[in-house]
Structures are given as structure tokens and as C-alpha cells.
Amino acid sequence: MKPPSKLLFDMNVLRYLDQLGILTQCISMIKNPYTLDLIKEKEMMNPSWEDVEKGGMKTLGLSGKQMLEAEELRGGHKKLSIYDAGIIILAAKKNYPLFTEDRKMITEMERLGIRHICLPEMIDLMYQNGINTQTRRFFEYINHIDNLLMDKNS
């Protein structure tokens, strides 16, 4: 299976990939990797922008109208941040899948019919495309992430 040619990455996924030691390999596997420009400007600390840029990451911005749509979406879901709502709106408008592990974002994306990719799917894509990710550390981390997310939603 081929990876998507265009993919939006949320900040948490960038952090997870960095912690797994596969950030650059994952980003460089995608022909056109993007994130929301607000993330680069306001949230990007670990990993740094320089780290994600090495793999070819670019940013996309929201128009004024799209920012209003993001604020409207966020208003209906108090648990969504403006960054979450903004990247969901961007994924919808660009028709790009969004790589996220955020359950509240995934729930909203499913409601809106927006495609998302989760970490196990991406690790499988990486393996299928010649990037060996089948180590105990990865699967332990995936289980850890899943447990953290389950605890947050309980």
C-alpha cells in the first residue's frame, strides 16, 4: 500500500514520531507533508521546526473565513482547541487526510466524513514501504499512547 501523497500532521503525532525516533523517516515518506502554520508558530517546541523541516514538512494557513469556521467548530466542542479545529477545517477544505491520535478530533472528523490516519496505520505503511519499524519499543509505545488516550477519555 502506498502512503498518501499529501498528508496533514497534527502536533501530537509529530511529538510521538520524534519520541519513537522515526520523525524524519515518516515525514520524508510523504511526498507533500503539511502541518498547520499556527502549530509551527505557536506550539512547535519538541520536536523543533528544524527537525520536521528536514523531512520536507511545509505549513498551510487558514483564510479569515476558515478561521471563522474553525472558531464555529470549536464553539460546538469545548474540548477542541483552536489548533485542533483549524487543522480539521484545513483537512476538510484541502481534502487531505489528517494524521492524528487525538480521539476528540477523530470523533469530529468521522462525523464530518474527513479521512484520518492513526499511528499504527502509519507504522504499517512505513514497514510496507521498506522502513523497518517492527521493534518492541514501537509497539510498547503504541500501547502506552493508547492507554493514555483511553485514560483521558474515561
Side-chain angles (χ1 to χ4, degrees):
M1 182 180 201
K2 286 183 149 184
S5 63
K6 297 176 182 174
L7 183 64
L8 279 166
F9 290 71
D10 85 349
M11 186 62 230
N12 288 331
V13 161
L14 292 172
R15 213 171 275 132
Y16 297 152
L17 293 170
D18 186 48
Q19 291 170 345
L20 289 167
I22 58 173
L23 177 68
T24 304
Q25 298 95 319
C26 180
I27 293 171
S28 25
M29 183 180 71
I30 307 298
K31 186 175 182 178
N32 295 293
Y34 298 103
T35 194
L36 181 63
D37 62 353
L38 293 173
I39 290 171
K40 175 189 172 192
E41 300 301 326
K42 301 293 182 189
E43 285 197 342
M44 187 72 70
M45 288 176 267
N46 187 18
S48 70
W49 176 249
E50 292 75 26
D51 291 339
V52 297
E53 197 173 33
K54 286 177 193 170
M57 180 70 70
K58 301 174 234 49
T59 62
L60 294 171
L62 295 169
S63 68
K65 181 181 177 191
Q66 291 168 337
M67 282 298 292
L68 291 173
E69 290 176 41
E71 185 56 40
E72 185 178 312
L73 177 63
R74 185 175 154 256
H77 301 278
K78 299 299 179 194
K79 292 183 179 182
L80 286 178
S81 72
I82 191 64
Y83 304 106
D84 296 343
I87 205 162
I88 289 171
I89 293 297
L90 193 56
K93 298 300 179 187
K94 294 286 188 182
N95 198 28
Y96 296 169
L98 176 59
F99 183 11
T100 185
E101 285 293 314
D102 188 310
R103 297 289 180 222
K104 58 191 174 304
M105 289 174 65
I106 290 169
T107 299
E108 188 59 23
M109 291 169 62
E110 287 173 346
R111 185 185 74 77
L112 296 170
I114 302 167
R115 183 164 182 260
H116 71 279
I117 292 178
C118 57
L119 192 55
E121 182 180 354
M122 181 56 73
I123 288 177
D124 190 44
L125 279 170
M126 291 175 74
Y127 182 73
Q128 290 175 25
N129 286 275
I131 300 170
N132 187 0
T133 60
Q134 291 191 326
T135 66
R136 184 174 182 87
R137 180 175 166 225
F138 290 113
F139 289 104
E140 288 174 350
Y141 197 77
I142 290 168
N143 286 332
H144 174 71
I145 291 168
D146 192 50
N147 290 336
L148 288 174
L149 292 171
M150 291 302 213
D151 289 345
K152 275 186 175 179
N153 293 324
S154 295

